[in-house]
Amino acid sequence: NAGVTQTPKFRILKIGQSMTLQCTQDMNHNYMYWYRQDPGMGLKLIYYSVGAGITDKGEVPNGYNVSRSTTEDFPLRLELAAPSQTSVYFCASSTGTSGGNEQFFGPGTRLTVL
Amino acid sequence: QKEVEQNSGPLSVPEGAIASLNCTYSDRGSQSFFWYRQYSGKSPELIMFIYSNGDKEDGRFTAQLNKASQYVSLLIRDSQPSDSATYLCAVKDGNKLVFGAGTILRVKS
């Protein structure tokens, strides 16, 4: 059981470039989430999904897009990268059952936009 | 949008002491609360969660809820240098979690 995996681990982008951050989970979780974490700022929710084909915006969705075609994968697309998108990005998943809703996190992608 | 507030710290405690971490939440109707630990450069990992119906103890960790004052506490007994990390408090909001900014804990040996 690999849990939640993310690729790449590190990436440097130039302003205006685009990229996709990959996230895969093998726990058959319905719910998946994308967060960004800036220094000292905690986790901010970008997008989330409650199942294949269903996505919804979080607190900071501008500049990002997502898709959820399978239960396992939840890629995050950055279009026209800006320095403000320099951050650490975490993907997480959970069963989504009422009550606990424990979220399991991937190792993160450290993105720098120059 | 629910809000969660935490003192950023750092909170410094000597080895063997009790570390007390707090967070306040804005929505009086909140019912599920989570504490995550995050080591520097690593991803968050769940320590424990509690519901609005009571406190919870797990080994050296105790989570307590004060509904009247709308805050959640995490107590770490017999603190160890390995407990040095950032502790994130989160509140369940529908299908999502709302996180605080975290409190840095430093345990001095």
Side-chain angles (χ1 to χ4, degrees):
Chain A
N1 231 0
V4 180
T5 57
Q6 293 182 237
T7 57
K9 286 186 172 55
F10 304 93
R11 183 74 185 268
I12 297 175
L13 280 182
K14 293 182 179 179
I15 294 172
Q17 287 185 322
S18 301
M19 76 166 293
T20 299
L21 281 67
Q22 301 292 344
C23 175
T24 300
Q25 54 92 9
D26 63 359
M27 297 175 282
N28 201 33
H29 286 168
N30 287 323
Y31 289 29
M32 296 187 74
Y33 308 83
W34 273 107
Y35 296 91
R36 59 176 289 171
Q37 187 176 37
D38 300 326
M41 297 298 292
L43 293 162
K44 299 294 185 184
L45 183 64
I46 305 172
Y47 272 96
Y48 68 102
S49 168
V50 300
I54 306 169
T55 62
D56 209 346
K57 295 178 180 179
E59 187 181 355
V60 290
N62 291 344
Y64 307 94
N65 277 300
V66 293
S67 59
R68 183 93 182 273
S69 56
T70 67
T71 299
E72 295 78 20
D73 300 306
F74 190 40
L76 177 71
R77 178 80 177 164
L78 277 71
E79 305 282 1
L80 299 174
S84 60
Q85 294 178 304
T86 294
S87 189
V88 180
Y89 292 83
F90 289 104
C91 178
S93 72
S94 77
T95 60
T97 54
S98 61
N101 197 39
E102 175 184 0
Q103 293 187 14
F104 296 86
F105 285 80
T109 295
R110 188 175 297 273
L111 175 66
T112 302
V113 182
L114 299 174
Chain B
Q1 170 73 5
K2 297 184 180 182
E3 294 182 353
V4 178
E5 300 282 341
Q6 293 182 259
N7 187 321
S8 61
L11 172 66
S12 293
V13 300
E15 184 176 356
I18 295 175
S20 178
L21 304 156
N22 296 320
C23 87
T24 60
Y25 58 95
S26 63
D27 185 351
R28 186 171 293 276
S30 297
Q31 297 191 0
S32 298
F33 307 88
F34 303 77
W35 282 100
Y36 282 80
R37 177 177 61 200
Q38 186 175 25
Y39 292 114
S40 180
K42 302 296 185 182
S43 56
E45 55 180 343
L46 183 73
I47 299 175
M48 60 196 315
F49 64 86
I50 60 170
Y51 302 120
S52 60
N53 59 351
D55 302 341
K56 187 174 181 180
E57 182 176 321
D58 185 0
R60 296 186 296 114
F61 298 91
T62 299
Q64 298 175 324
L65 174 63
N66 185 318
K67 285 192 281 189
S69 299
Q70 293 180 230
Y71 74 84
V72 187
S73 299
L74 179 69
L75 301 177
I76 306 175
R77 289 181 298 281
D78 189 24
S79 296
Q80 301 297 310
S82 59
D83 294 325
S84 297
T86 297
Y87 289 79
L88 303 168
C89 175
V91 173
K92 192 170 189 288
D93 180 11
N95 297 321
K96 312 184 294 292
L97 293 181
V98 178
F99 284 86
T103 299
I104 298 170
L105 173 66
R106 293 185 181 148
V107 181
K108 300 172 292 184
S109 58

